[in-house]
């Protein structure tokens, strides 16, 4: 989800208000319907006003994602997915070409196995079959600490819903904060009970509010 938000905001120019408006219609029915549509390879019909057609059209906007042309003054963006073929992470970023299109990485990085089909793309080293990068790293702060970012301060949004298989060490966060003092601000929105796949659309405004509260709780560290 983090990759999708980043891609639509920084990459495609969606404002926070537009993101909330366009995605607040998500529901369990729409999520399963979208997954079935993607598995079938069905195209949304022109003028289709259903949630499935709308969301399918929104996802297809990712095809024009260009990491060299970003919005809102953002200078660089990185996206992560997991290649099911070999268990390796697929990472693309501004100024770093991994041989796979940024839109495919963004879409693959949000494809929950079993619910959405993997995203397949050929490149010079073979074929990648990309799925949710959260299976490997749900909060990949290590990527932000390394080039090409080497960020002075990282705002890490940790929903604490699931841990990737590369971040299950219970000492991971204390070690990171000890090794990089003052560089990591970890936000912990209270999302218990909101649901993921089984999600009710009226909770969208709650998620926004919980996110704002998490930011305000750490405002001194963010300034």
């Amino acid at each position: 989800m983090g990759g999708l938000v980043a891609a639509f905001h920084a990459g495609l120019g969606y404002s926070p208000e537009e993101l909330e408006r366009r995605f607040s219609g998500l529901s369990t029915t729409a999520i399963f319907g979208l997954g079935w549509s993607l598995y079938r390879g069905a195209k949304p019909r022109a003028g289709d006003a259903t949630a499935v057609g709308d969301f399918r059209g929104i996802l297809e906007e990712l095809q024009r994602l260009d990491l060299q042309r970003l919005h809102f003054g953002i200078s660089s963006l990185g996206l992560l997915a997991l290649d099911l073929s070999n268990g390796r992470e697929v990472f693309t970023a501004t100024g770093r070409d991994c041989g796979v299109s940024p839109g495919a990485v963004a879409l693959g990085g949000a494809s929950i196995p079993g619910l959405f089909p993997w995203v397949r793309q050929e490149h010079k080293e073979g074929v990648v079959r990309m799925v949710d990068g959260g299976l490997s790293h749900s909060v990949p702060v290590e990527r932000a600490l390394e080039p090409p970012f080497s960020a002075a301060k990282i705002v890490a949004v940790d929903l604490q819903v699931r841990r990737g298989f590369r971040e299950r060490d219970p000492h991971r966060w204390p070690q990171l904060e000890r090794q990089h003092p003052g560089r990591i601000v970890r936000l912990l929105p209270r999302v218990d009970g909101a649901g993921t796949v089984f999600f009710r659309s009226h909770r969208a405004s709650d998620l926004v509010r919980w996110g704002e509260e998490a930011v305000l709780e750490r405002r001194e560290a963010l300034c």
Side-chain angles (χ1 to χ4, degrees):
M1 183 54 66
L4 280 182
V5 171
F8 279 104
H9 178 62
L12 298 179
Y14 277 54
S15 68
E17 293 76 18
E18 179 71 358
L19 280 170
E20 180 180 358
R21 186 183 70 80
R22 296 292 294 272
F23 288 99
S24 62
L26 277 174
S27 65
T28 300
T29 301
I31 289 172
F32 277 96
L34 177 60
W36 177 240
S37 170
L38 291 170
Y39 271 114
R40 291 172 51 234
K43 300 289 185 182
R45 300 184 299 273
D48 189 351
T50 68
V52 172
D54 187 31
F55 289 128
R56 181 70 188 268
I58 290 173
L59 291 181
E60 290 191 346
E61 292 183 42
L62 289 173
Q63 294 177 3
R64 60 184 175 86
L65 182 64
D66 183 353
L67 299 186
Q68 313 309 315
R69 301 180 62 182
L70 303 176
H71 301 265
F72 303 107
I74 296 170
S75 60
S76 57
L77 172 63
L79 300 166
L80 184 71
L82 179 68
D83 183 2
L84 275 183
S85 303
N86 52 33
R88 297 176 182 171
E89 293 180 342
V90 179
F91 179 65
T92 186
T94 304
R96 173 176 174 167
D97 182 11
C98 71
V100 182
S101 71
V105 177
L107 186 57
S111 296
I112 302 171
L115 181 59
F116 301 118
W118 64 53
V119 175
R120 181 184 185 277
Q121 190 168 91
E122 296 183 6
H123 65 113
K124 60 183 179 181
E125 296 181 4
V127 177
V128 292
R129 296 173 177 83
M130 294 175 288
V131 295
D132 184 1
L135 296 176
S136 174
H137 273 113
S138 61
V139 191
V141 293
E142 291 86 349
R143 294 284 182 177
L145 291 164
E146 303 165 352
F149 301 110
S150 301
K153 179 166 286 190
I154 298 165
V155 180
V157 181
D158 186 1
L159 301 181
Q160 305 179 83
V161 174
R162 181 187 61 201
R163 290 280 176 258
F165 64 80
R166 288 190 171 96
E167 56 184 3
R168 288 179 178 163
D169 181 351
H171 305 294
R172 174 177 177 248
W173 283 107
Q175 288 176 349
L176 283 170
E177 291 167 348
R178 188 165 54 251
Q179 293 168 0
H180 307 279
R183 291 180 68 185
I184 302 173
V185 180
R186 185 181 175 202
L187 303 183
L188 301 170
R190 299 178 179 87
V191 296
D192 293 348
T196 50
V197 174
F198 297 97
F199 178 76
R200 295 180 295 277
S201 59
H202 73 272
R203 301 306 298 269
S205 59
D206 292 333
L207 290 172
V208 172
R209 176 169 52 83
W210 294 334
E212 292 172 345
E213 290 173 352
V215 170
L216 291 174
E217 286 175 1
R218 299 302 310 276
R219 56 183 176 272
E220 292 183 2
L222 290 168
C223 296

